[in-house]
Amino acid sequence: MRAQPQRIAVVGGGIIGTAVARELAHRFDDATVTLFEKESTLAAHQTGHNSGVVHAGLYYEPGSLKARLCRTGVEKLIRYAVENGIPYDECGKLVVAQDTDEVDRLEAIFERAKANGVPHVQLLDRHRMREVEPNVRGVLALHSPHTAIIDYAALTQSLGRDLEAAGGVIRFDSEVARLDTLSSEVRVMLALPGAQGSKITEDGGTFDLAVTCAGLQSDRLAVASGLEEEPRIVPFYGDYFVAQGPAAEVVKGLIYPVPDPAYPFLGVHLTRGIDGSLMLGPNAFLSLGREKYERKIGPIGGIDLGDLGRTLGYKGFWKFASQNLRAAAREARTALSPQAFIAEAQKFVPTLDADAVSPGPRGVRAQAMNPDGTLVDDFVVTSRGRLTQVRNAPSPGATSSLAIAEHVVDTAVESLR
């Protein structure tokens, strides 16, 4: 094995990048770990725009990286939350079937959950499910009592403090334009503030090892750094609606629909927030910008012409679109009509007061896509020399973050051998 790295760079201050930087700082006591984040705070993008669910591992293919790292990640996350005083609520989850077709799929999920080692899952008939959620309606439900909620932004801030306590450095307002991989080092090139088009860069330093966790920009950073273009990122936004106070009390925990294999996205569900609110959503619709979170511009939000052009110019997107016309029609209804959005939630909780529901936040999902239009489902981590990249970390990425960090660091260290 080569000499231990003394200078390490991590790109991306979301929960996975921050967890990776922390893991590196703990793994290599004598090294200086520098975390580059283009915003002025951690968790500014996907990490800070989600429902805060800590997934138990119900759906994932047994033996997949997702399934293994989710279960390991949950255990690590619980311990970390308890030790660091981060609010964590095991409120439980029901996956609810509405008809006999969904019952068959729900029973298959139950078998998969048991294969993944999810503890204490069970199937509940319509009477027993109401003992868990008195206002829910359905014919059969899968109960996962240990599914939980947490504030992922607060968790990320805590991981950042750990990094700094271990001697690491966080460089905010530092957008990485590319990484130049040399035989014995990696040079980080930063985008100058205000640079447009082909980014004007400045030297951000040289490092013995670098890891990128760039989320919504992962494919662009890979191409700029001379690496593979695929898989591409196609952004999908997800809107939430929110109920506060007494209206939120109609749901005690989480209520989810049964996934339909004919659709690539789950559909509207109901989630209690760590703050006591009730969140409905998200839906999923093509985002016109990778980092466009505004809803005031119109129902589909703001536009980034560069992002939109890249999506529409990608043959994989058109293949995906042609294969998912029914899904697009379903999601368009909830994207364009708040009434249709709320009605999807009311299928599961008819007593939900629509008048007490108001528009909430929006998130944008970094969906990795292949040239044939298929979605990349599992975590993807690749290495070339001294540069390791997290190319895809979809849900349950946040849940699995501490376990993903260990896996990524193991992969990066192996590249040094």
Side-chain angles (χ1 to χ4, degrees):
M1 181 175 177
R2 301 178 187 177
Q4 296 288 306
Q6 299 298 306
R7 301 159 298 163
I8 304 174
V10 178
V11 180
I15 191 169
I16 292 176
T18 308
V20 166
R22 171 185 176 270
E23 177 67 21
L24 284 161
H26 289 168
R27 189 87 61 100
F28 299 105
D29 294 341
D30 297 330
T32 298
V33 179
T34 303
L35 176 62
F36 292 92
E37 168 53 45
K38 70 177 182 177
E39 308 296 352
S40 59
T41 185
L42 300 175
H45 291 286
Q46 290 183 104
T47 303
H49 294 84
N50 63 53
S51 58
V53 176
V54 180
H55 294 280
L58 302 178
Y59 310 109
Y60 317 123
E61 184 67 30
S64 66
L65 201 56
K66 261 190 180 183
R68 290 188 287 112
L69 295 185
C70 181
R71 287 305 314 152
T72 304
V74 168
E75 294 168 3
K76 291 180 178 296
L77 189 149
I78 292 172
R79 288 196 299 270
Y80 187 90
V82 171
E83 291 170 0
N84 292 273
I86 297 171
Y88 182 90
D89 181 7
E90 259 188 15
C91 57
K93 170 179 175 177
L94 288 180
V95 183
V96 180
Q98 297 285 333
D99 55 43
T100 54
D101 288 340
E102 291 186 350
V103 164
D104 292 338
R105 298 203 302 271
L106 187 63
E107 290 174 341
I109 292 171
F110 177 57
E111 295 303 320
R112 179 170 287 191
K114 290 191 295 182
N116 286 337
V118 180
H120 305 123
V121 290
Q122 57 181 323
L123 293 174
L124 307 179
D125 63 23
R126 66 179 70 220
H127 302 293
R128 292 182 64 204
M129 75 173 75
R130 290 178 192 172
E131 294 174 3
V132 177
E133 290 282 0
N135 296 301
V136 73
R137 294 295 180 269
V139 296
L140 187 72
L142 186 157
H143 184 214
S144 172
H146 300 295
T147 297
I149 50 177
I150 197 171
D151 183 339
Y152 282 119
L155 175 60
T156 306
Q157 299 293 341
S158 180
L159 295 173
R161 290 191 292 272
D162 292 348
L163 169 63
E164 292 178 318
V169 177
I170 303 176
R171 291 186 58 173
F172 292 109
D173 303 309
S174 298
E175 180 181 359
V176 174
R178 72 172 194 271
L179 298 97
D180 297 332
T181 306
L182 308 175
S183 60
S184 60
E185 63 186 20
V186 178
R187 184 175 298 277
V188 173
M189 303 302 295
L190 301 178
L192 287 175
Q196 299 295 323
S198 180
K199 288 187 171 67
I200 303 170
T201 58
E202 63 179 356
D203 192 346
T206 58
F207 300 87
D208 304 316
L209 183 67
V211 180
T212 66
C213 306
L216 286 156
Q217 306 296 341
S218 61
D219 59 337
R220 283 179 169 162
L221 185 57
V223 170
S225 303
L227 302 177
E228 295 81 5
E229 190 171 30
E230 310 293 348
R232 296 270 195 100
I233 296 298
V234 175
F236 289 84
Y237 75 75
D239 281 334
Y240 293 92
F241 282 71
V242 178
Q244 306 277 2
E249 300 303 320
V250 294
V251 175
K252 294 182 176 181
L254 316 177
I255 299 176
Y256 275 52
V258 178
D260 187 338
Y263 295 119
F265 301 112
L266 182 59
V268 172
H269 39 283
L270 300 96
T271 305
R272 287 304 297 261
I274 202 71
D275 62 353
S277 64
L278 176 65
M279 301 179 71
L280 318 181
N283 56 355
F285 202 72
L286 179 67
S287 179
L288 306 186
R290 296 194 184 199
E291 298 175 5
K292 293 295 183 182
Y293 305 106
E294 307 92 339
R295 299 179 67 169
K296 60 186 178 183
I297 299 174
I300 58 175
I303 300 176
D304 183 307
L305 294 177
D307 289 348
L308 181 60
R310 184 170 174 81
T311 296
L312 298 182
Y314 181 42
K315 64 179 181 180
F317 167 73
W318 291 108
K319 290 182 178 181
F320 167 82
S322 67
Q323 297 161 7
N324 291 281
L325 294 177
R326 289 176 59 207
R330 184 188 75 168
E331 298 299 330
R333 288 179 58 250
T334 61
L336 299 173
S337 169
Q339 293 77 19
F341 190 112
I342 296 170
E344 287 294 309
Q346 288 175 322
K347 290 179 181 178
F348 299 93
V349 182
T351 56
L352 175 68
D353 183 1
D355 293 334
V357 175
S358 59
R362 166 174 291 184
V364 180
R365 172 179 177 171
Q367 178 60 62
M369 189 176 292
N370 294 312
D372 63 0
T374 57
L375 304 184
V376 182
D377 186 56
D378 209 354
F379 301 141
V380 178
V381 181
T382 61
S383 283
R384 180 180 294 181
R386 294 176 176 269
L387 175 60
T388 295
Q389 291 192 307
V390 178
R391 293 296 299 259
N392 191 49
S395 178
T399 298
S400 311
S401 54
L402 295 176
I404 290 175
E406 290 187 353
H407 175 75
V408 169
V409 173
D410 288 343
T411 302
V413 170
E414 184 64 28
S415 72
L416 295 176
R417 295 184 185 278

